[in-house]
Amino acid sequence: MTSASEAKIAAAPISWGVCEVPGWGYQLNPQRVLTEMAELGFSATEFGPIGFLPDEPARKAELLAGFGLTATGGFVPVVLHDPGHDPVPEVEAELAAYALSGASVLVLAAATGVEGYDSRPELDETAWDTLLANLDRLRKTAQDAGVEAVLHPHVGTMVETSADLDRVLAGSSIPLCLDTGHLLIGGTDPVAFAAAHADRIAHAHLKDVDEAVAHTVQSGERSYYDAVIAGLYRPLGQGDIDVRSILASLREAGYEGWFVLEQDNVLRAEPEPGAGPILDARSSVAYLRSTLAELAV
């Protein structure tokens, strides 16, 4: 088990409102985002959406290094359930950039095949069999490139609900990305899940959640996007998720993966210097560092 000082803490551009979904608010430029990440003492970041960082791997790594950052990897939505679609080539293309960028974690999501996260189709047994088989294929594809592939249960994807998760746990060997917010919205208690399945968790996206707002997504009253605007995510330690218990379960299991501060955000316009997402990120990373230090005692 790593000590608190050795814990791998990373940022994610979505915490600054940078997202792959078209129309997802104002998009900050990488210079501002990376400057603020560095100011908060992060050592690494996820890539963010295509186009946020340079496409060429060496230039990507060089840009990050200029801010004292390395890359953990990235969030990659891939259609996995369509028997007529082979996801391996597109994942291999993603992995080609990993070695030069120093990235080590491929965060897969089971994409629906349509834009956004506000609806998803129902899968038949053939589609489920295809999805589960593809997860194991992609895990092996990533391993061959020296990268850990994890599945990210995510609102509006084909793996969202507790029933979806149960099928993945039983039918695939792929490790999971624990995303505290998306698990809760999908109907899974993230505290109980971390306690029961810490051995399957290889990557962590940490969010705190306003549970009342989350319920409006579950009920269909709000879309996921509108809920983010309405304050779905709170700084760590200031919402309704027992983040400390989740961290304790992971540390007790010997977790050595990344702790990624990843709180989806939507910006209406560019904030003034020193304002905007950096404020919540500063509060969250301070909570994370202090809690990990307490747990290490």
Side-chain angles (χ1 to χ4, degrees), residues 213-238:
V213 178
H215 288 326
T216 67
V217 181
Q218 294 168 331
S219 68
E221 179 184 339
R222 279 194 182 100
S223 70
Y224 180 73
Y225 175 80
D226 288 339
V228 172
I229 293 173
L232 174 62
Y233 296 122
R234 306 289 303 140
L236 297 186
Q238 297 181 31

Side-chain angles (χ1 to χ4, degrees), residues 225-250:
Y225 175 80
D226 288 339
V228 172
I229 293 173
L232 174 62
Y233 296 122
R234 306 289 303 140
L236 297 186
Q238 297 181 31
D240 296 313
I241 290 180
D242 186 356
V243 177
R244 190 182 193 283
S245 290
I246 291 169
L247 296 175
S249 291
L250 294 178

Side-chain angles (χ1 to χ4, degrees), residues 20-211:
E20 74 281 357
V21 177
W24 188 277
Y26 182 87
Q27 300 294 289
L28 290 171
N29 64 60
Q31 286 71 29
R32 172 155 184 180
V33 174
L34 299 178
T35 295
E36 294 188 353
M37 288 179 180
E39 180 181 331
L40 296 179
F42 286 103
S43 63
T45 179
E46 292 195 347
F47 288 138
I50 294 171
F52 176 65
L53 297 177
D55 290 337
E56 205 277 315
R59 288 185 58 228
K60 187 178 297 185
E62 182 181 3
L63 176 61
L64 293 177
F67 293 90
L69 297 165
T70 58
T72 65
F75 177 73
V76 182
V78 185
V79 173
L80 302 173
H81 62 275
D82 181 355
H85 173 72
D86 182 1
V88 170
E90 61 192 287
V91 168
E92 287 178 332
E94 289 283 340
L95 292 171
Y98 270 53
L100 283 172
S101 302
S104 59
V105 185
L106 178 74
V107 183
L108 296 170
T112 61
V114 298
E115 291 180 348
Y117 298 115
D118 295 327
S119 64
R120 64 182 197 145
E122 291 291 327
L123 298 188
D124 60 20
E125 289 303 311
T126 297
W128 264 111
D129 289 345
T130 302
L131 186 153
L132 295 171
N134 277 328
L135 287 175
D136 287 339
R137 290 177 67 217
L138 295 179
R139 184 187 185 196
K140 177 63 165 55
T141 299
Q143 284 177 331
D144 290 346
V147 172
E148 176 102 82
V150 298
L151 175 67
H152 186 331
H154 193 291
V155 169
T157 70
M158 303 319 307
V159 181
E160 173 183 348
T161 68
S162 294
D164 299 337
L165 263 173
D166 287 343
R167 294 195 75 149
V168 170
L169 288 168
S172 170
S173 65
I174 196 166
L176 298 175
C177 170
L178 172 82
D179 186 299
T180 51
H182 285 280
L183 284 176
L184 178 68
I185 296 168
T188 298
D189 179 346
V191 175
F193 187 85
H197 300 291
D199 61 330
R200 282 289 292 268
I201 296 167
H203 198 60
H205 282 175
L206 299 177
K207 301 172 168 71
D208 211 337
V209 177
D210 183 319
E211 200 162 0

